[in-house]
């Protein structure tokens, strides 16, 4: 077989693998409505994990197939460039070129074990110039106003695919009509259009109708979250029309949506119009295409590098015992690498740390755990690194970092949204901001626990404050399932001398946690302690945590809404 024929065969094999992967991705996604309507919340969580795992599974299958097809004589630059050229031709008019390019990159890196990575052999930038493919059916349904807001909304609602009965459809529509009239007034008395994505979005216990209002002189998002009542009836829980509020719904600390998207680029383009402050990387990730989100994030990073000149430096805050963190002051992400050696009190391996991050990726993050993107052999320009950072990295992770005159190469790292460390935020906070942060911190612990997650290391330095002032957990090396923790009360002292002893008078197991001790190691600041006691006294009680454990074990899934009570149709 000639080189060109073999290159064509390899290109076809990779694209077929990408198609197979995305086909299974869509198969799992297509079951989201049934899982929602049957309220099968356990299967919702399992489907999330299953769908994430498809990508690496299919990359492995294709890589194994290509290794069997090819010998070492094909690992030449000319052959690899011929494969890429053949692949680009296959992507002309191909509807999922974006996903296919990332899949190509993944297969290449898997075969060469992240060696021999050069931009000319990979799709570092897209070959398609950002074209937006057409949907096989129209992406949007349009509803032109004819007989007023209520009637237009009713037609929109009647077009949805749900099979459950409505609890009070007319009541919900009246409330939404009133809300829209209050927010937009005269603009809705004129001609307006509602445009909605045909396919609902599903996540956790909710479904979301997502679209926009097109009025005389402005466009606004229109997001309607749907829930199921105790009687098995649908109802609209909120009406969201502000881009910032929609952005929170699509936040980086939440699980990925299930939405049937045969042409993800077109859907992302529309979502970007609703949330102009979101990047393509964030939106691809939010709809479950997190591997292509990783590609887009890298592209956005390269663009930022080309349009900035500041230096990478050690991230502000208390240095971690397991991870070393650095950042670029002008950039909205941090870079985290695992140290070669951990502090003595950290009894774990590198593999265990990576497993913790994988657990978070596949778990319900309930808006309280930052998502990360994992990279290998990440290359930075040497001249953009401060000398202090170079010294730090070579000192704490010499096996992971190599430095030349022109490059800093890091064999394994995580990229994560940058936030203000909570300990720093609290030091600078006004009294009102401090109260809000303490409320958020306690809420974060409760919501994580309700999702079967115990943070482990609960120190403020392991949490961050987002631009929306939400407290989010981001240090995962001691994370555990809540059901694996043994919450205990401290036994009363046997004798007065027990309280003065250097060692506890009671036995302490490996997984034992004593919530009463949170006061001692978390709340040194008296004002913080007072606020915490006022807002979250139950967090000091073992019985509270045991009750949450029991609910998790019984299969109870808490409601964690990604929007404020102020946006709900009926306030809590």
């Amino acid at each position: 077989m000639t080189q060109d024929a073999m290159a064509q065969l390899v290109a076809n094999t990779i694209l077929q693998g990408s198609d197979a992967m995305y086909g299974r991705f869509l198969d799992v996604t297509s079951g989201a409505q049934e899982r929602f309507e049957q309220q099968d919340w356990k299967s919702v969580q399992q489907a999330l994990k299953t769908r994430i795992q498809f990508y690496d599974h299919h990359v492995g299958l294709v890589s194994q197939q290509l290794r069997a097809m090819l010998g070492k004589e094909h690992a030449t630059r000319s052959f690899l460039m011929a494969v890429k050229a053949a692949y680009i031709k296959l992507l002309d008019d191909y509807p999922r070129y974006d996903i296919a390019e990332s899949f190509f990159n993944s297969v290449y890196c898997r075969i060469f074990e992240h060696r021999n990575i050069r931009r000319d052999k990979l799709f570092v930038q897209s070959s398609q110039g950002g074209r937006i493919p057409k949907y096989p059916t129209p992406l949007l349904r349009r509803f032109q106003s004819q007989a007023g807001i209520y009637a237009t909304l009713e037609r929109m609602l009647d077009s949805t695919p749900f099979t459950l009965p409505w609890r009070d459809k007319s009541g919900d529509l009246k409330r939404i009509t009133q809300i829209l009239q209050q927010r937009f007034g005269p603009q809705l008395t004129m001609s307006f259009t509602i445009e909605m994505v045909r396919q609902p979005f599903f996540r956790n216990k909710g479904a979301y109708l997502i679209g926009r209002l097109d009025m005389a002189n402005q466009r606004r998002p229109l997001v309607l979250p749907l829930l199921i009542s105790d009687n098995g009836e649908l109802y609209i829980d909120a009406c969201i029309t502000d881009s910032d509020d929609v952005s929170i719904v699509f936040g980086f600390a939440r699980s990925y949506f299930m939405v049937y998207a045969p042409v993800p680029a077109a859907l992302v383009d529309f979502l970007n119009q609703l949330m102009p402050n979101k990047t393509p990387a964030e939106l691809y990730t939010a709809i479950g295409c997190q591997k292509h989100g990783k590609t887009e994030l890298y592209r956005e990073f390269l663009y930022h590098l080309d349009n900035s000149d500041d230096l990478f430096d050690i991230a502000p805050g208390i240095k971690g015992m397991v991870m070393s963190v650095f950042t670029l002051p002008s950039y909205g992400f941090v870079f985290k690498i695992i140290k070669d050696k951990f502090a003595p009190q950290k009894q774990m391996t590198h593999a265990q740390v990576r497993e913790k991050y994988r657990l978070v990726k596949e778990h319900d993050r309930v808006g309280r755990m930052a998502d990360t993107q994992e990279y290998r052999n990440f290359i930075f320009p040497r001249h953009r690194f401060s000398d202090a950072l170079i010294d730090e990295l070579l000192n704490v992770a010499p096996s992971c970092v190599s430095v030349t005159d022109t490059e800093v190469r890091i064999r394994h790292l995580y990229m994560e949204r940058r936030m203000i460390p909570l300990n720093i935020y609290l030091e600078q906070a006004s009294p009102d901001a401090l109260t809000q942060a303490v409320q958020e911190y306690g809420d974060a612990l409760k919501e994580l626990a309700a999702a079967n997650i115990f943070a482990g290391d609960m120190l403020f330095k392991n949490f961050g404050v987002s631009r929306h002032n939400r407290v989010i957990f981001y240090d995962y090396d001691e994370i555990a399932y809540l059901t694996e923790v043994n919450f205990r009360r401290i036994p009363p002292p046997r004798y007065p001398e027990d309280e003065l002893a250097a060692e506890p008078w009671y036995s302490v197991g490996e997984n034992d946690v004593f919530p009463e001790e949170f006061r001692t190691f978390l709340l040194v600041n008296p004002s913080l302690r007072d606020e915490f006691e006022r807002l979250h006294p139950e967090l000091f009680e073992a019985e509270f945590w045991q009750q949450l454990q029991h609910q998790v074990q019984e299969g109870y899934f808490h409601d964690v809404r990604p929007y404020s009570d102020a946006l709900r149709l009926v306030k809590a």
Side-chain angles (χ1 to χ4, degrees), residues 429-449:
S430 66
D432 288 345
L434 185 141
T435 296
Q436 182 186 8
V438 171
Q439 179 71 59
E440 273 285 304
Y441 173 74
D443 288 346
L445 295 178
K446 294 173 185 176
E447 290 168 13
L448 287 171

Side-chain angles (χ1 to χ4, degrees), residues 66-79:
L66 293 182
R67 287 192 188 101
M69 290 167 53
L70 301 173
K72 292 184 178 179
E73 66 272 12
H74 288 101
T76 64
R77 184 181 186 280
S78 62
F79 177 73

Side-chain angles (χ1 to χ4, degrees), residues 275-515:
M275 297 167 278
N277 291 328
K278 288 282 189 188
T279 68
E282 293 173 290
L283 294 172
Y284 271 106
T285 300
I287 63 171
C289 300
Q290 80 279 1
K291 290 293 187 178
H292 185 66
K294 173 181 170 179
T295 300
E296 290 288 348
L297 181 59
Y298 183 64
R299 291 170 178 170
E300 292 163 9
F301 167 71
L302 293 179
Y303 178 83
H304 185 88
L305 271 188
D306 290 342
N307 291 275
S308 62
D309 56 9
D310 51 337
L311 298 182
F312 290 93
D313 208 346
I314 301 167
I318 300 171
K319 292 182 180 180
M321 298 184 211
V322 170
M323 308 288 274
S324 185
V325 185
F326 63 96
T327 189
L328 192 65
S330 63
Y331 190 53
F333 287 79
V334 297
F335 303 84
K336 303 171 71 171
I337 66 173
I338 304 174
K339 294 181 177 182
D340 281 7
K341 295 181 180 180
F342 306 151
Q345 56 267 49
K346 296 286 186 177
Q347 300 295 318
M348 62 187 64
T349 66
H350 280 218
Q352 288 172 327
V353 174
R354 291 194 294 270
E355 178 62 21
K356 301 288 188 183
Y357 276 77
R358 188 195 62 78
L359 182 158
V360 171
K361 171 71 72 174
E362 297 178 355
H363 199 80
D364 178 11
R365 293 190 295 279
V366 293
R368 296 298 185 178
M369 292 190 289
D371 193 18
T372 57
Q373 292 288 9
E374 185 177 8
Y375 293 89
R376 296 183 186 278
N377 282 336
F378 203 102
I379 298 175
F380 298 88
R382 168 65 179 86
H383 73 278
R384 296 293 292 272
F385 274 58
S386 69
D387 290 337
L389 177 57
I390 291 290
D391 291 342
E392 166 80 7
L393 295 181
L394 290 178
N395 180 51
V396 301
S399 70
C400 184
V401 180
S402 58
V403 181
T404 69
D405 290 342
T406 59
E407 292 181 350
V408 175
R409 182 189 296 267
I410 299 181
R411 292 182 181 86
H412 181 259
L413 63 76
Y414 297 96
M415 281 181 69
E416 182 180 280
R417 173 70 66 180
R418 189 175 70 191
M419 292 172 277
I420 303 172
L422 179 58
N423 60 306
I424 294 177
Y425 183 89
L426 291 171
E427 290 170 1
Q428 304 167 349
S430 66
D432 288 345
L434 185 141
T435 296
Q436 182 186 8
V438 171
Q439 179 71 59
E440 273 285 304
Y441 173 74
D443 288 346
L445 295 178
K446 294 173 185 176
E447 290 168 13
L448 287 171
N452 197 24
I453 291 293
F454 181 64
D457 192 343
M458 295 163 57
L459 294 175
F460 297 140
K461 70 182 182 67
N462 297 324
F463 293 76
V465 181
S466 73
R467 71 182 182 94
H468 296 293
N469 292 322
R470 287 182 58 81
V471 170
I472 293 171
F473 184 47
Y474 55 53
D475 193 326
Y476 305 140
D477 55 84
E478 290 196 19
I479 202 169
Y481 290 118
L482 187 79
T483 49
E484 295 176 350
V485 179
N486 184 30
F487 293 99
R488 295 174 54 192
R489 274 186 172 273
I490 297 175
R494 300 162 301 178
Y495 317 106
E497 295 79 11
D498 283 345
E499 295 184 274
L500 303 176
E503 297 296 327
W505 61 88
Y506 47 89
S507 62
V508 180
E510 182 180 354
N511 295 323
D512 285 351
V513 170
F514 300 90

Side-chain angles (χ1 to χ4, degrees), residues 38 85 93 115 157 230 320 331 415 458 469 492 530 532 554 566:
Q38 292 182 356
D93 297 324
R115 298 190 303 269
L157 216 56
D230 293 339
Y331 190 53
M415 281 181 69
M458 295 163 57
N469 292 322
D530 292 344
F532 209 97
E554 290 296 309

Side-chain angles (χ1 to χ4, degrees), residues 74-192:
H74 288 101
T76 64
R77 184 181 186 280
S78 62
F79 177 73
L80 296 174
M81 295 305 297
V83 171
K84 184 180 177 184
Y87 201 75
I88 290 173
K89 288 183 180 179
L90 293 175
L91 298 184
D92 289 341
D93 297 324
Y94 182 74
R96 289 187 295 276
Y97 73 85
D98 43 359
I99 307 301
E101 288 180 343
S102 288
F103 193 84
F104 180 99
N105 291 348
S106 298
V107 170
Y108 182 98
C109 291
R110 182 72 62 89
I111 289 175
F112 289 98
E113 298 177 340
H114 294 84
R115 298 190 303 269
N116 195 26
I117 295 176
R118 289 292 178 263
R119 293 190 182 190
D120 57 346
K121 298 168 187 170
L122 296 170
F123 291 96
V124 174
Q125 301 297 338
S126 176
S127 65
Q128 302 296 304
R131 68 177 173 88
I132 307 299
K134 291 184 178 180
Y135 249 60
T137 56
L139 171 64
L140 305 175
R141 280 195 172 96
R142 291 179 172 83
F143 304 90
Q144 192 72 35
S145 65
Q146 294 173 347
I149 304 170
Y150 182 100
T152 308
L153 288 168
E154 186 175 34
R155 283 190 288 120
M156 180 273 291
L157 216 56
D158 288 343
S159 74
T160 61
F162 297 104
T163 63
L164 292 179
W166 290 90
R167 183 179 67 181
D168 180 17
K169 184 170 72 171
S170 63
D172 288 349
L173 290 173
K174 287 176 183 176
R175 283 184 281 271
I176 295 170
T177 299
Q178 184 179 20
I179 288 168
L180 295 179
Q181 287 174 331
Q182 289 172 349
R183 291 178 187 172
F184 304 116
Q187 295 185 64
L188 283 176
T189 62
M190 310 173 197
S191 176
F192 68 91

